[in-house]
């Protein structure tokens, strides 16, 4: 027997499609599913299908949503004069955990990446610009990732939005709280020095 | 928004049921499913359900099977006079990869574990003993895991099978091939010395 029996082999292959799951982990997870009760396995199967079928994109901010609007755009208490621009819905979740930001978001669904052939036309940038036309927005906070692609996207958006007379800001770079200076790379340290604040 | 939208939250919870998957990994995997095409997501969902519905237990050796018999018991070329006893179906797969063993298997579905309250009655031991009654079997190789429970199981089976006049053997302990002596623990080194072979 060179391979596992077919239904198991198929499940192993499916697990391998997930990011960061190699062959060994896929085998382990597939055997774990076999050890599930019928109810558990079917609940898992149904949850995969339901997530794909029921998760939509917010009409306004392109965040994930279970209806027309995401819970943030549907919340009347959020401040629509500030838009925080992120690369993906996961970033929205990370920022929401801080429970500090009261504005709204815009999800680009990626970042400009000349290396991977992703130009601005592949991102939800027209949808962002359309939102700025209402005159309601006074600040756009760019929270793309702190890497080459995120930086390129931030530069591109800044050039596009500033002429509209809207304030554009970028998340601060610096040493992570609770970190150790020894572990910070030089670029981060340089940015932390540049951004130093008087006490 | 304290939590993710419901269908996503449900999928995250489902991924967390899998062994070795914490909250952060579950979130990452759930978002990966959202990035799947419909076809990919439904194929994944269907594979989970199919694995549970179609994977059966071999009538003879208790290995996983897609029919009455597992591929090994169904193979007429396998030597039915040697039975290798393992704790689970994963171990069968590991041993099969060696492509050296030509006998058949018996899957116990666990190991005797007084600490976890697993007695011999919870394992597929009667099914093993029944197979030995035919007079066809001349050797039982015990390949339970090299830990306390696996050892206890090996001892128990040896006492049970030896009186039947059948040879009982155990996989060799020793230093792993390609390993470094510095990394071997003392018990393994002791076993490697005990089992030394003349050159």
């Amino acid at each position: 027997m060179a391979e596992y029996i077919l239904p198991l082999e198929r499940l192993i292959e499916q697990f391998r499609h997930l990011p960061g799951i190699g062959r060994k982990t896929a085998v382990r997870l597939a055997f774990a599913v076999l050890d599930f009760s019928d109810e558990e396995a079917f609940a898992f199967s149904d949850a995969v299908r339901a997530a794909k079928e029921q998760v939509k994109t917010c009409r306004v901010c392109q965040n994930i949503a279970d209806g027309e609007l995401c819970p943030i755009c549907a919340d009347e208490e959020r401040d629509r004069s500030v838009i925080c621009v992120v690369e993906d819905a996961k970033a929205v979740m990370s920022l929401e955990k801080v429970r500090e930001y009261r504005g709204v978001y815009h999800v680009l669904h990626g970042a400009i990446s000349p290396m991977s052939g992703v130009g601005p036309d592949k991102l939800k940038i027209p949808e962002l610009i359309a939102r700025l036309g209402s005159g309601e927005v006074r600040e756009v906070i760019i929270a793309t990732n702190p890497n080459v692609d995120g930086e390129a996207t931030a530069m591109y958006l800044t050039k596009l939005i500033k002429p509209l007379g809207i304030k554009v800001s970028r998340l601060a770079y610096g040493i992570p709280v609770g970190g150790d200076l020894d572990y910070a790379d030089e670029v981060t340290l340089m940015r932390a020095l540049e951004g130093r604040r008087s006490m």
Side-chain angles (χ1 to χ4, degrees), chain A:
Chain A
M1 185 164 64
E3 285 193 333
Y4 300 87
I5 55 173
L6 199 59
L8 182 61
E9 192 58 46
R10 285 202 183 118
L11 182 56
I12 292 168
E13 278 314 301
Q14 288 298 331
F15 273 119
R16 289 201 65 183
H17 288 168
L18 293 167
I21 305 286
R23 172 86 189 170
K24 281 213 164 183
T25 306
V27 169
R28 190 167 52 77
L29 296 179
F31 272 103
V33 169
L34 292 188
D35 282 339
F36 279 178
S37 70
D38 279 4
E39 291 72 42
E40 288 172 322
F42 297 163
F44 182 28
S45 166
D46 292 347
V48 169
R49 178 172 278 267
K52 194 64 203 175
E53 284 176 342
Q54 294 168 15
V55 175
K56 317 252 181 265
T57 301
C58 174
R59 184 168 51 82
V60 175
C61 77
Q62 318 297 322
N63 185 15
I64 52 170
D66 46 6
E68 275 270 283
L69 293 176
C70 76
I72 297 162
C73 286
D75 182 349
E76 304 218 334
E77 309 237 307
R78 304 294 295 231
D79 178 3
R80 279 159 177 71
S81 71
V82 187
I83 296 180
C84 178
V85 178
V86 293
E87 292 184 22
D88 51 41
K90 246 181 301 194
V92 173
M93 306 302 161
S94 302
L95 286 162
E96 281 299 287
K97 269 195 226 139
V98 185
R99 295 171 185 278
E100 182 66 37
Y101 179 66
R102 296 302 304 158
V104 291
Y105 293 91
H106 192 85
V107 181
L108 295 175
H109 289 261
I112 297 171
S113 175
M115 296 288 283
S116 321
V118 180
D121 51 307
K122 297 271 176 66
L123 307 176
K124 304 290 185 187
I125 292 176
E127 289 83 351
L128 172 61
I129 302 304
R131 291 175 72 184
L132 303 180
S134 71
E136 196 182 19
V137 181
R138 57 178 175 79
E139 180 175 0
V140 171
I141 302 171
I142 302 183
T144 50
N145 289 327
N147 55 31
V148 174
D149 293 350
E151 231 17 71
T153 311
M155 297 296 279
Y156 181 88
L157 290 177
T158 303
K159 275 186 196 155
L160 213 60
I161 299 168
K162 259 195 159 168
L164 304 176
I166 294 168
K167 183 181 167 189
V168 181
S169 60
R170 177 99 174 95
L171 285 194
Y173 279 111
I175 45 170
V177 177
D180 190 314
L181 274 193
D182 289 354
Y183 294 118
D185 62 288
E186 288 119 60
V187 180
T188 300
L189 279 177
M190 192 185 73
R191 295 299 189 101
L193 273 169
E194 281 172 7
R196 70 190 179 276
R197 298 171 60 171
S198 50
M199 309 265 307

